[in-house]
Amino acid sequence: MPHYNGTKSFARLRQEIDEIKKLKEQRYQGLNDKTDEQIFQDVLGKDTHGYLRVYGPGTRKDAENARTKAEQAKKEAEVNRNDVHRKIEQNNAIWKKFHRLMNFIKGGKAHHDE
């Protein structure tokens, strides 16, 4: 049963797959900081004419929209994370003051720094 692989030989395909695996392994070892997309482009080249490799024509815009949404979600998550950390710090400060007050009420020493 013949396999369809286009104009690319199976040997060339195997070589490209091995190169992708090698670059990913280097990333895991900390030798590069490339994303999967950058690795893919390094080995196979950039997509052209609205054609997105592996997925076919017409999906370039969908991929770019998804990437934009993911970047926006990442920024929103960072804002939320910073807000949560700020609120935790505020709560910790309140608990410290409460703890000092309770120690003072119980006859402990009061701290005069606040």
Side-chain angles (χ1 to χ4, degrees), residues 46-106:
K46 282 193 120 184
D47 301 322
T48 58
H49 307 294
Y51 188 87
L52 190 60
R53 291 184 193 272
V54 181
Y55 297 103
T59 57
R60 161 72 68 188
K61 189 177 240 183
D62 294 338
E64 289 173 357
N65 288 341
R67 185 178 305 120
T68 301
K69 286 181 182 179
E71 289 171 359
Q72 182 180 3
K74 183 178 178 181
K75 288 177 184 176
E76 290 174 5
E78 182 69 20
V79 168
N80 290 337
R81 185 180 70 83
N82 290 338
D83 190 43
V84 167
H85 284 296
R86 183 182 53 78
K87 289 178 181 179
I88 288 172
E89 288 174 5
Q90 289 174 344
N91 286 341
N92 286 340
I94 291 170
W95 278 108
K96 284 180 184 178
K97 289 178 183 179
F98 178 76
H99 183 66
R100 288 180 187 148
L101 178 61
M102 293 304 293
N103 281 341
F104 179 75
I105 291 171
K106 290 180 182 178

Side-chain angles (χ1 to χ4, degrees), residues 3-17 44:
H3 296 274
Y4 177 76
N5 196 38
T7 59
K8 191 179 289 189
S9 71
F10 283 108
R12 183 171 163 207
L13 181 63
R14 170 47 69 201
Q15 180 183 7
E16 290 171 346
I17 290 171
L44 300 177

Side-chain angles (χ1 to χ4, degrees), residues 23-40:
L23 290 171
K24 282 187 173 187
E25 183 61 33
Q26 288 175 354
R27 180 181 61 198
Y28 294 130
Q29 294 172 354
L31 301 174
N32 74 51
D33 59 349
K34 295 180 179 182
T35 64
D36 285 344
E37 184 175 334
Q38 289 170 329
I39 290 172
F40 201 72

